[in-house]
Amino acid sequence: MDVYDLFFYLSLFAGFMMAFNLGANDVANSMASAVGAKAITVRQAVFIAGVLNFAGAVFLGSHVTATVSKGIINASSIDPKIMMIGMFAALLAAAIWVLLSTLTSLPVSSTHSVVGAIAGMGIVAGGMDVVNWLKMGGIVLSWVISPFFAAAIGFAVFSHVRRYILYKKHFILQARRWAPFWVALTVSLVVLSFLYKTPIGKNLHLPWAVSLGVAVVLALCTWAGARIWAGRVVKDVEEGAEGVERVFRKMQVGTSCYVALSQGANDVANAIGPVAAIYMIAKDHVLLGKAEVPISMLILGGVGIAVGISLLGHKVMATVGSKITTLTNTRGFAVDFGAASTVLVASNLGLPVSTTHAAVGAVVGVGLARGFSAVDFRVLGRIVIYWLLTVPIAALTSIVIFELLKWMCL
């Protein structure tokens, strides 16, 4: 077995470890608000997220992925064998940081971990010029944009629900009136997100006007159906506030399921992209900008995500779902809507947003709608510190592993 074969097999382990951490940390965010609002139990969330993420990763995940994650470094100026060792070091470093964060129950961005690790390795292997600093600047900008944008949307949605439903005298009738509107808006968001965020949707290459038209037609059909549905969910207009929460509970489960499926399709590349790069170098001793990803690697990533959320997903779910602020079903729906809207809008503007940052921002925004005392800023402060440390720690860890492997193997 030569050094190429050795690193290929090692990269399969590192890729699985990264996918495991994706499931345990990133994916747990998709179910956190539903669990926190008690729409579903932790066991149900683990089952739903595990199945939908595996399906998203294997059946909707991209079969062609950028080998050098997010174009953060110029790989052509680095020797392929050095690059292979560096990608393995970066993958391992990112996985270690996300695992440590998960064990302390704090949500961090796996995308930023991978990016930081690759940047650190790239600086050592090819110098400062090899890093795309403009791209790095965009990532730093996203630390500010995504949580605040999601917080603003979550704040606005919950404030609307509270003002026009919960604070009204006949709130069951108001829920029947406004719930179809929010269901229709959510469906249009999901349709646009599917068309512009998932690999299958992108391959359709639909013009913006056509996509918008499809979303509007489906939203109108959904609105008509939801009016009948809302009346059946709450038949007694004299029922208390629990009737309103029941309507939003069902809506919230639906949005959480979509986020889980979408995450599987999009985030599996974070774990499998570097593995595909190492596979290419091990096989042909060259590295191209993009690589075909074998279905077996997508299955490896999908299994890793499912196992990760099964074993450790409850830790981050507990933090995001219940420790920042107390969530009910109406608040949880506002969180899901805020996070999903932010990811969709920012991604289409070309901003590298983090689903983790958007989810936490939306939770804080919904909490602030009830006042500053409703948010635990000590928990939030710890989360923000971990966000700020993610890129430098992943980069330093990657550099140490990279130098050690070079000393051992070259």
Side-chain angles (χ1 to χ4, degrees), residues 41-240:
T41 64
V42 172
R43 184 173 295 181
Q44 289 171 327
V46 165
F47 177 75
I48 293 170
V51 171
L52 291 181
N53 268 275
F54 178 83
V58 175
F59 300 112
L60 299 180
S62 178
H63 292 256
V64 180
T65 185
T67 53
V68 181
S69 182
K70 315 298 180 190
I72 208 69
I73 60 172
N74 177 17
S76 61
S77 59
I78 302 175
D79 178 76
K81 185 187 281 188
I82 298 287
M83 193 66 200
M84 178 181 70
I85 297 173
M87 292 300 280
F88 173 75
L91 196 55
L92 198 58
I96 290 171
W97 170 244
V98 180
L99 179 61
L100 289 175
S101 304
T102 304
L103 292 175
T104 51
S105 305
L106 292 175
V108 295
S109 168
S110 60
T111 303
H112 293 179
S113 302
V114 169
V115 165
I118 290 176
M121 175 275 294
I123 290 171
V124 173
M128 296 294 282
D129 293 340
V130 85
V131 177
N132 184 346
W133 292 107
L134 193 62
K135 195 84 174 179
M136 286 297 289
I139 289 171
V140 171
L141 199 62
S142 79
W143 294 341
V144 178
I145 293 174
S146 50
F148 280 92
F149 194 56
I153 296 176
F155 183 97
V157 172
F158 181 62
S159 296
H160 179 277
V161 170
R162 197 164 56 166
R163 180 175 180 183
Y164 289 100
I165 298 177
L166 298 176
Y167 282 3
K168 292 290 183 181
K169 184 178 180 181
H170 302 293
F171 44 71
I172 295 294
L173 292 176
Q174 288 296 105
R176 285 181 181 177
R177 178 184 177 191
W178 283 105
F181 166 77
W182 285 112
V183 172
L185 206 56
T186 303
V187 166
S188 62
L189 184 72
V190 167
V191 171
L192 290 173
S193 181
F194 179 82
L195 292 175
Y196 285 98
K197 283 288 291 174
T198 64
I200 286 183
K202 289 176 183 175
N203 288 337
L204 294 176
H205 301 296
L206 293 180
W208 170 248
V210 175
S211 301
L212 194 62
V214 171
V216 169
V217 170
L218 288 176
L220 288 174
C221 295
T222 304
W223 176 79
R227 283 176 59 86
I228 301 171
W229 167 79
R232 289 180 177 175
V233 172
V234 188
K235 294 179 180 176
D236 184 5
V237 294
E238 301 300 325
E239 188 174 343

Side-chain angles (χ1 to χ4, degrees), residues 287-337:
L287 177 63
L288 303 176
K290 288 181 179 292
E292 289 286 336
V293 181
I295 188 73
S296 57
M297 287 189 190
L298 290 174
I299 292 174
L300 179 77
V303 171
I305 290 173
V307 173
I309 194 169
S310 301
L311 296 183
L312 293 179
H314 62 279
K315 286 180 170 289
V316 172
M317 272 188 216
T319 302
V320 178
S322 60
K323 292 183 179 175
I324 300 173
T325 192
T326 304
L327 293 178
T328 59
N329 299 121
T330 44
R331 296 170 198 164
F333 172 77
V335 168
D336 287 344
F337 192 89

